[in-house]
Amino acid sequence: MKFFVDTADIKEIEDLAATGLLDGVTTNPSLVAKSGAKDFKSLIKSICEIVSGPVSAEVAATDYATMRKEADVLRAIADNVAVKVPLTADGLKVCKELSDEGTLVNVTLCFSAGQALLAAKAGAAFISPFVGRLDDISTDGLQLIADIVRIYDNYEYFDTEVLVASVRNPLHIIESAKMGAHVMTAPPSVIKQLYNHPLTDKGLAAFVEDWKKTGQSIL
Ligand code: G3P
């Protein structure tokens, strides 16, 4: 499973990139606003220099003509930009055109299997189903991941990767991985939670204490 981080915070991206475990980055207008960045295009350029994998940069417009122009600007920033478009008729029209031209497209705001089918037919590189936001309205977000993975698996000619988004906790990641989702994007705090287990802490403390008793040094 590929790990993307869902943030527009350069420091957080640098920290995670240093672990060697980061495969890409996703941003959205809300995350850009939260980051305080004043120049979106420079921000995306900087992120693309830190991470060699796909960096999702989202269009701001909602009509076809403006989205298409914005997409052309965004994809020119760096080779690893994945243009992010909303799952609307206009968004998928832009997706089909860009995908046909070899540009990576991430179709966002997916909340149903039917929408995911449309994105695959439009040639999306990634479909982003929002697990947490479905859970928020008492709908099983992970069931949507299972449905999309199953549907895509039925058709060899669908190349779209399932990018689990709106991830709120480690279980969202683990259960999606069991289902075979290709990618997940999560806030840094959730990715860091994956490291933690109380038995690891307890075991390590015991090893440190016992090593002291040996009176030895490896170095
Ligand atoms: O990047 C899109 C998605 O991951 C947003 O997550 O937590 O705002 O629902 P959230």
Side-chain angles (χ1 to χ4, degrees):
M1 179 183 240
K2 285 179 257 187
F3 274 26
F4 290 1
V5 65
D6 201 25
T7 183
D9 185 304
I10 292 282
K11 177 79 175 63
E12 288 181 331
I13 293 166
E14 282 174 341
D15 286 351
L16 276 161
T19 66
L21 305 179
L22 192 60
D23 301 301
V25 177
T26 52
T27 68
N28 63 38
S30 306
L31 293 170
V32 174
K34 189 177 162 197
S35 77
K38 296 291 172 237
D39 183 340
F40 176 50
K41 288 177 272 183
S42 299
L43 173 72
I44 295 298
K45 191 165 189 296
S46 301
I47 297 173
C48 288
E49 283 165 5
I50 299 166
V51 179
S52 59
V55 174
S56 290
E58 189 160 341
V59 296
T62 57
D63 66 287
Y64 163 75
T66 319
M67 267 194 279
R68 174 66 219 220
K69 284 182 199 153
E70 290 178 346
D72 284 338
V73 170
L74 294 176
R75 68 176 171 172
I77 293 174
D79 289 344
N80 56 329
V81 166
V83 176
K84 206 170 177 187
V85 299
L87 208 152
T88 61
D90 280 1
L92 291 185
K93 192 174 167 190
V94 174
C95 173
K96 181 77 174 82
E97 289 178 4
L98 296 183
S99 300
D100 285 349
E101 293 167 15
T103 297
L104 294 177
V105 180
N106 177 358
V107 177
T108 190
L109 291 167
C110 172
F111 294 96
S112 77
Q115 290 179 318
L117 257 175
L118 290 173
K121 288 185 67 65
F126 304 104
I127 181 67
S128 291
F130 278 29
V131 173
R133 291 193 195 182
L134 280 170
D135 288 353
D136 289 345
I137 59 160
S138 301
T139 301
D140 187 351
L142 285 169
Q143 184 57 51
L144 176 59
I145 302 303
D147 289 345
I148 298 172
V149 169
R150 183 170 168 213
I151 289 168
Y152 282 7
D153 277 352
N154 286 339
Y155 302 96
E156 271 179 20
Y157 54 85
F158 282 166
D159 294 327
T160 307
E161 296 195 358
V162 179
L163 196 174
V164 183
S166 189
V167 165
R168 303 278 170 77
N169 56 61
L171 262 188
H172 280 154
I173 301 170
I174 295 158
E175 293 302 319
S176 298
K178 284 186 196 169
M179 293 165 189
H182 309 85
V183 195
M184 74 85 200
T185 188
S189 57
V190 175
I191 295 175
K192 286 173 188 161
Q193 276 181 275
L194 288 172
Y195 286 98
N196 299 334
H197 197 286
L199 290 180
T200 303
D201 298 341
K202 189 179 169 195
L204 185 58
F207 286 156
V208 168
E209 280 312 305
D210 288 343
W211 181 249
K212 278 185 200 160
K213 291 176 199 161
T214 73
Q216 299 180 52
S217 164
I218 294 173
L219 299 177

